[in-house]
C-alpha cells in the first residue's frame, strides 16, 4: 500500500514519497550523521530542552509521526481484535518472554567481553516498541486496529514489567548462571510518563480527530479526503526524527565504527529472528496477512526512545550503554524498512481472511 492513501501497493500509483522511501531514509540517516560531525555542539543544542529524557525535537518528530497513523485507525472495530486470543497471546509471548530472552542470549553470546554494550543491548530488548512500529505496520499493509491494540497492551506491560525484567535479566539470571551482574535504576513512573507522552498524546488526538471528523463530515469524507491530506506527515515526522536522532549521536557513531559494528551484529540477528519467528508463527496459525504482519513487526520493533533515556539516566550520556541504545535505531530503521518490502512481497502467498475475523 502507499503510506499516504491506504490502498493496495501498485507501483505505478504510489506517491514519489512512498516509492523512494528507502532512499529518503538513507538520505536522512546520512544527513543526520554529517550534521552531527560537521556542526560542533549541535547535539548539546538539540538536547537543551527534553521531554521525559528525550530531546524536544525528537519528541516532536515522534508525535508528528504517530498522529496520522493513529488517526487512520477505525476505533469502532477494535473489538474484532480484542476477541482474537491467538493474536493477543502470541504477541504477549513474543514481546515479553521470547524477545527479552533472545536479546539477553545474543548479547552474552556475541559481546562477552564488552559489558557496557551488552547491558545496553539487554535494555533495548526490554523496551518493547510503542511508536515507530505503527509506521512499519502501516507501510506493510498490516492491520491498523490490531497494531493499535497490541501497542496499547505493550504500553501497559512496559509500565508494569520493564523494571522487573531489568532486575531479572541484569542481576538475577546472570547470578544464577555465574555471570557478571549489574543493576538498573529506573522508576515505573518514568516509564509511565514516556508511555503517556509518546503513545497517549497521539492516540487521544487520533481518536478525537476521527470521532469529530466523522461526526461532522461522515466516514467517506474522512477516509477519502482528510486522511490522504494528513497521511504524508507520518513519513515527514519519521524522516525528521531520523535526522535529529542521528545528528545527536553522529560524532560518536562515526568515530567508533568498530564498536558500532560489534553492537550491530546481535541487533541484526535479533531483528531477523524476532520478525521471522513472528511471521512464521502468524502464518502457521492462520492469522492472515494483515495480522501476521502486525504480529511480526510488533515483535521485532523496540522502544529506542525509552532504552536511550533509561541508559542515559542510569549510566550517563557518554556511557557504552547509551551508545548501544543509539545504535539500535541505526540498525532497526534500515532493517525494518527492508522487511516492509519482504512482507509486501510475501503478501500474495496468503489467503484472504474474511473481514469479520481480520477487520
Amino acid at each position: 500500500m502507499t503510506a499516504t492513501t491506504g490502498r493496495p501497493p501498485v507501483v505505478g500509483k504510489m506517491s514519489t514519497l512512498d516509492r523512494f522511501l528507502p532512499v529518503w531514509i538513507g538520505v536522512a540517516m546520512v544527513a543526520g550523521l554529517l550534521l552531527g560531525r560537521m556542526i560542533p555542539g549541535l547535539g548539546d543544542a538539540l538536547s537543551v530542552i527534553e521531554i521525559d529524557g528525550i530531546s524536544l525535537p525528537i519528541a516532536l518528530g515522534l508525535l508528528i509521526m504517530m498522529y496520522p497513523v493513529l488517526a487512520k485507525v477505525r476505533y469502532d472495530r477494535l473489538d474484532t481484535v480484542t476477541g482474537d486470543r491467538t493474536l493477543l497471546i502470541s504477541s504477549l509471548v513474543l514481546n515479553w518472554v521470547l524477545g527479552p530472552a533472545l536479546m539477553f542470549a545474543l548479547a552474552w553470546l556475541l559481546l562477552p567481553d564488552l559489558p557496557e554494550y551488552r547491558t545496553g543491548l539487554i535494555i533495548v530488548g526490554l523496551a518493547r516498541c510503542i511508536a515507530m512500529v505503527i509506521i512499519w505496520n502501516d507501510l506493510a499493509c498490516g492491520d491498523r486496529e490490531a497494531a493499535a491494540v497490541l501497542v496499547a497492551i505493550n504500553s501497559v506491560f512496559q509500565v508494569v514489567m520493564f523494571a522487573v525484567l531489568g532486575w531479572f535479566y541484569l542481576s538475577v539470571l546472570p547470578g544464577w548462571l555465574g555471570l557478571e551482574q549489574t543493576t538498573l535504576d529506573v522508576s515505573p513512573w518514568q516509564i509511565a510518563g514516556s508511555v503517556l507522552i509518546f503513545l497517549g498524546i497521539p492516540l487521544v488526538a487520533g481518536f478525537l480527530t476521527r470521532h469529530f471528523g466523522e461526526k461532522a463530515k461522515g466516514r467517506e469524507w474522512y477516509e477519502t479526503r482528510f486522511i490522504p491530506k494528513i497521511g504524508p506527515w507520518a513519513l515527514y515526522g519519521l524522516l525528521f526524527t531520523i535526522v535529529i536522532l542521528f545528528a545527536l549521536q553522529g560524532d560518536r557513531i562515526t568515530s567508533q565504527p568498530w564498536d558500532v559494528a560489534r553492537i550491530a551484529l546481535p541487533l541484526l540477528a535479533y531483528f531477523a529472528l524476532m520478525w521471522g519467528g513472528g511471521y512464521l508463527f502468524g502464518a502457521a496459525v492462520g492469522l492472515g496477512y494483515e495480522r501476521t504482519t502486525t504480529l511480526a513487526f510488533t515483535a521485532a520493533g523496540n522502544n529506542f526512545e525509552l532504552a536511550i533515556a533509561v541508559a542515559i539516566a542510569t549510566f550517563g550520556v557518554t556511557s557504552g550503554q547509551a551508545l548501544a541504545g543509539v545504535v539500535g535505531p541505526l540498525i532497526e530503521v534500515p532493517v525494518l524498512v527492508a522487511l516492509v518490502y519482504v512482507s509486501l512481497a510475501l503478501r500474495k502467498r496468503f489467503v484472504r481472511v474474511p473481514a469479520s475475523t481480520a477487520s
Side-chain angles (χ1 to χ4, degrees):
M1 66 178 258
T2 69
T4 56
T5 65
R7 298 180 184 276
V10 179
V11 174
K13 295 183 179 180
M14 291 177 74
S15 70
T16 301
L17 181 65
D18 291 339
R19 194 179 310 128
F20 296 102
L21 177 62
V23 176
W24 309 140
I25 287 178
V27 170
M29 292 169 65
V30 172
L33 291 173
L34 290 176
L35 285 173
R37 289 282 292 181
M38 296 171 60
I39 305 178
L42 178 63
D44 293 336
L46 292 173
S47 298
V48 168
I49 302 177
E50 295 185 341
I51 296 178
D52 199 51
I54 298 297
S55 167
L56 178 60
I58 290 181
L60 292 176
L62 290 170
L63 294 176
I64 293 170
M65 175 187 76
M66 293 180 67
Y67 163 69
V69 181
L70 289 170
K72 295 177 184 179
V73 173
R74 293 184 176 182
Y75 292 92
D76 58 349
R77 296 170 66 175
L78 293 183
D79 59 333
T80 65
V81 180
T82 56
D84 189 341
R85 292 186 179 181
T86 300
L87 175 67
L88 299 183
I89 293 174
S90 301
S91 179
L92 286 173
V93 171
L94 284 168
N95 276 285
W96 296 102
V97 179
L98 297 181
L102 176 62
M103 188 67 90
F104 174 86
L106 290 170
W108 272 100
L109 179 65
L110 299 175
L111 300 174
D113 57 328
L114 298 171
E116 289 190 358
Y117 298 156
R118 185 177 63 234
T119 298
L121 285 182
I122 292 172
I123 293 173
V124 170
L126 299 175
R128 314 312 301 168
C129 197
I130 64 169
M132 208 168 276
V133 67
I134 293 176
I135 289 287
W136 310 136
N137 179 75
D138 204 51
L139 289 170
C141 300
D143 188 317
R144 288 175 186 151
E145 289 69 40
V149 170
L150 296 185
V151 163
I153 292 174
N154 273 348
S155 300
V156 173
F157 268 76
Q158 199 145 244
V159 173
V160 176
M161 296 301 297
F162 186 91
V164 174
L165 289 175
W167 167 72
F168 177 76
Y169 280 106
L170 293 174
S171 181
V172 176
L173 185 56
W176 290 350
L177 299 175
L179 302 173
E180 181 181 348
Q181 297 170 279
T182 187
T183 57
L184 186 63
D185 183 18
V186 58
S187 165
W189 301 112
Q190 177 187 357
I191 301 167
S194 176
V195 169
L196 288 174
I197 292 170
F198 296 114
L199 177 63
I201 291 175
L203 182 63
V204 170
F207 172 80
L208 293 177
T209 301
R210 178 172 279 277
H211 176 74
F212 288 109
E214 288 189 355
K215 188 174 182 180
K217 296 282 191 175
R219 174 161 289 187
E220 182 179 357
W221 173 88
Y222 184 86
E223 296 193 343
T224 62
R225 302 287 296 277
F226 181 72
I227 288 298
K229 289 183 178 180
I230 66 169
W233 283 94
L235 294 184
Y236 299 154
L238 171 65
L239 296 175
F240 175 79
T241 301
I242 291 170
V243 170
I244 299 301
L245 179 66
F246 282 65
L248 281 169
Q249 299 291 340
D251 183 64
R252 295 187 67 197
I253 291 172
T254 55
S255 64
Q256 299 174 262
W258 176 243
D259 288 354
V260 170
R262 289 288 306 272
I263 297 169
L265 185 58
L267 284 169
L268 284 169
Y270 173 84
F271 293 134
L273 290 171
M274 288 300 295
W275 187 89
Y279 206 92
L280 289 173
F281 182 82
V285 299
L287 288 180
Y289 174 79
E290 287 80 6
R291 289 190 177 174
T292 292
T293 296
T294 301
L295 180 65
F297 279 101
T298 51
N302 289 90
N303 186 351
F304 65 82
E305 309 94 346
L306 175 61
I308 293 171
V310 169
I312 290 174
T314 305
F315 302 102
V317 69
T318 60
S319 65
Q321 291 88 343
L323 178 60
V326 170
V327 175
L330 173 70
I331 305 303
E332 178 178 346
V333 169
V335 169
L336 292 191
V337 168
L339 290 174
V340 165
Y341 285 88
V342 172
S343 186
L344 290 172
L346 294 173
R347 191 179 190 186
K348 60 187 177 183
R349 296 178 177 272
F350 281 79
V351 176
R352 179 73 178 175
V353 175
S356 59
T357 60
S359 70

